[in-house]
Amino acid sequence: MNSAIGVRVFADYGIYDSSQTQDFVKFSAGFRGDLPFLPTWRYDFYANKSWADGTYSYEQILADRLAQSLNVRLVNADGSTIVVPPTAPVGFVPTIANTPGARFVCVDTTGSCVAAPAISNAIIGGQARTAAAAWFDYITDDVVGHTAFRETTFNATFDGPLFRLPGGNAQAVVGFEYRKSSINDVPSSDAQRNNLYNFTSAPITKGSDSVWEAFTELEFPVLRNVPFAEELTFNASGRFTHYDSYGSDTTYKIGGIWSPVRWLSFRGSYGTSYRAPALYEQFLGSTTGFLSAQSTDPCTSLFNVTNQTIVANCLADGLPNNFINNGSTTVLQRGGADSGLEAETSKNLTFGTVIQPTFGPAFGNLSLAIDYFRIEVNNGVSQLGAGNLARGCYDGTRPEYCQFVTRDPYTGSGTGQLTIVQSYINVATDMVKGIDFTLRYDRELGPGKLDLGINAVRIIDRVNQNDPAFAATHFEGSIGNPKWSGTGHVGYDWGPWYARWGVDYIGHTNDDFLVDPADFPTNVYDFSVKDYWLHTAALRYEPNNRYSLTAGVRNVFDKKPPKITAEDPFVNTIANIPLQSGWDFRGRTFFINAQAKIF
């Protein structure tokens, strides 16, 4: 008996087309003046309302059309049913190869269905857009979503002197602010009903939040123009914040500057801050997915589990000693508002010195600032994996994770499945410390003024820990986290003209130290990036303070972004190019900018 096996291949068709447009409108109004009952104090009232509406479109394969196009039957060239000739061998099955002129048609022709093409090198090679244009047009569509963001702000600020000190008047600022924002993201209907091939569903994300704030800033000039104290000033600020979404918080900052002589100053500050959860992190619509229970359920193959805490918790759930979960775990992904998501908090320490030597007008003006900084973010917003949540709950190390893990009752084989809520929660810790360098120089030269500037950052340490169950990772020197980076410029200002040459620098980086050499041998994989320099030239004409015209070239030497082996697990890539900020992905571009002040 002869038989035939048909093999159908669906291959990716290459780069997806996408586009995005955004409309933004903002109205602002305010007025300021002197308080009539306290003339040395000023007031400033301000309000604004903004509307941002975005539309995003992605070319996507629709799952229902793809399935319909793959459900086919073989017909003659004229569309008639193929009849097996009586002389055909026993077991003969008509195919495109043995039936001249035969072609595929859809079994269900609803919606002008176009049958998937026969396998070919072009289809396998991702060239369906040109090799099977009619089918490509049928199974793909531009799915369109819309995002609306609204924000309202009211602010009232008062400032003025408090009392006299040897160094001058102590100053105070007192203010109040109210903000309300909302988001309404509506993906396409196909995205909402999970009809995008190889993509998860995308539900509506909708919510709002509002905040009241009261703040004050104080400055105390203790000494000025006395021996060993050209300036001695302290400052302090505080802010009380109340969010509808998570409650109240208080932050503060203290600092000071001391100049023992005119050309040398020391400064420092310490403060706290926070970041309220973004609307997306709070109100992300719920999506449902499924993962293998073998990788997410700590209780599967319970007879092989050696952690006695896990065993005890699994038995407490009513599971038998021989429990095996061969099914799947349901994963619900949603925003963190329902699970009590709170604000991130941070502590910031800086101290440094400013050197401003005086060498006379012939030399010009020179200043150098060197500042050390250390920033630590706690209670960071993160989204842990389903397996990490389940294990942290069952092994007892993170009992707070158990609120995200539920199990169906066990009544026999195939029951006792897990459901895990994968939400935004407060678990991450980040720390960065380094040194900032700022150099400024200017002097009169010829008919105009020459100015130079350099800003450089040396990162000493950058640590991230998204999951407390795992050790923190040091990322300094990795791609996206260079140890050295900076900007510089040289400019010349004469009359209404200003010419500027700017340079951006990103130091060399390497991800080799982050990966296991057994999995990524260095003789096969290259995760290193060399030093990157980007040059920009611009010329501005400004005849007065109401009009200006600027033209220039960005990426003067058409510097291409660096390439690495695309399998780097720590960065996203397009082809072999890592997607990181600072690198130019467009090549040399020309720009022109015109500004005019009406009032």
Side-chain angles (χ1 to χ4, degrees), residues 14-267:
I15 297 176
Y16 295 81
D17 287 338
S18 64
S19 63
Q20 180 176 329
T21 60
Q22 181 154 337
D23 298 318
F24 180 79
V25 177
K26 181 177 180 179
F27 288 106
S28 303
F31 54 95
R32 61 174 65 97
D34 297 328
L35 291 175
F37 54 87
L38 198 61
T40 58
W41 278 65
R42 299 173 299 180
Y43 65 85
D44 190 337
F45 298 145
Y46 170 78
N48 74 61
K49 175 72 175 181
S50 63
W51 297 260
D53 293 282
T55 300
Y56 50 93
S57 175
Y58 298 90
E59 182 184 56
Q60 297 285 350
I61 299 171
L62 303 186
D64 55 357
R65 293 190 189 180
L66 175 62
Q68 187 178 351
S69 74
L70 292 172
N71 182 21
V72 297
R73 60 190 180 92
L74 199 64
V75 298
N76 289 310
D78 60 2
S80 61
T81 301
I82 295 176
V83 178
V84 177
T87 57
V90 176
F92 174 81
V93 177
T95 66
I96 284 185
N98 62 25
T99 308
R103 61 186 177 91
F104 290 118
V105 296
C106 298
V107 172
D108 178 6
T109 60
T110 304
S112 302
C113 176
V114 178
I119 185 174
S120 67
N121 291 335
I123 296 299
I124 296 175
Q127 301 172 21
R129 187 188 297 268
T130 54
W135 175 66
F136 177 86
D137 289 341
Y138 172 70
I139 64 169
T140 62
D141 198 7
D142 290 331
V143 296
V144 180
H146 303 276
T147 301
F149 183 81
R150 304 288 184 265
E151 186 173 56
T152 303
T153 302
F154 298 98
N155 179 283
T157 304
F158 307 89
D159 70 277
L162 293 175
F163 48 82
R164 184 73 181 176
L165 288 172
N169 287 327
Q171 300 284 334
V173 176
V174 179
F176 307 91
E177 183 165 296
Y178 171 79
R179 299 187 304 275
K180 183 175 182 179
S181 55
S182 65
I183 187 174
N184 185 18
D185 178 61
V186 183
S188 70
S189 59
D190 285 300
Q192 293 184 50
R193 61 189 181 93
N194 199 23
N195 192 39
L196 303 183
Y197 181 77
N198 266 351
F199 286 82
T200 60
S201 61
I204 294 175
T205 296
K206 184 177 183 179
S208 63
D209 202 0
S210 61
V211 55
W212 285 96
E213 291 185 311
F215 56 90
T216 184
E217 297 180 21
L218 304 172
E219 184 174 272
F220 303 100
V222 179
L223 296 173
R224 185 180 298 274
N225 298 328
V226 298
F228 304 108
E230 289 294 327
E231 179 183 0
L232 179 61
T233 301
F234 297 102
N235 51 67
S237 62
R239 183 178 293 261
F240 173 80
T241 303
H242 178 79
Y243 274 90
D244 282 352
S245 58
Y246 77 91
S248 303
D249 205 348
T250 302
T251 57
Y252 67 89
K253 181 180 179 181
I254 56 175
I257 181 171
W258 173 48
S259 302
V261 291
R262 290 185 182 274
W263 58 269
L264 179 64
S265 300
F266 300 97
R267 60 189 181 185

Side-chain angles (χ1 to χ4, degrees), residues 326-392:
N326 290 320
S328 59
T329 296
T330 302
V331 180
L332 305 177
Q333 189 178 58
R334 63 179 59 154
D338 294 336
S339 58
L341 183 65
E342 298 179 352
E344 297 178 345
T345 60
S346 70
K347 293 175 285 187
N348 187 343
L349 170 68
T350 65
F351 59 84
T353 183
V354 180
I355 303 172
Q356 297 175 293
T358 302
F359 298 123
F363 178 83
N365 302 307
L366 175 67
S367 69
L368 172 64
I370 304 174
D371 293 284
Y372 169 87
F373 62 87
R374 186 185 188 277
I375 304 170
E376 181 178 339
V377 178
N378 296 300
N379 216 31
V381 176
S382 183
Q383 194 177 47
L384 299 183
N388 293 338
L389 290 169
R391 185 168 185 85

Side-chain angles (χ1 to χ4, degrees), residues 495-498 540-549 597:
W497 296 93
Y498 181 71
R540 184 183 70 216
Y541 177 69
E542 189 172 9
N544 52 56
N545 60 4
R546 295 186 61 185
Y547 305 100
S548 68
L549 180 67
K597 295 180 181 179

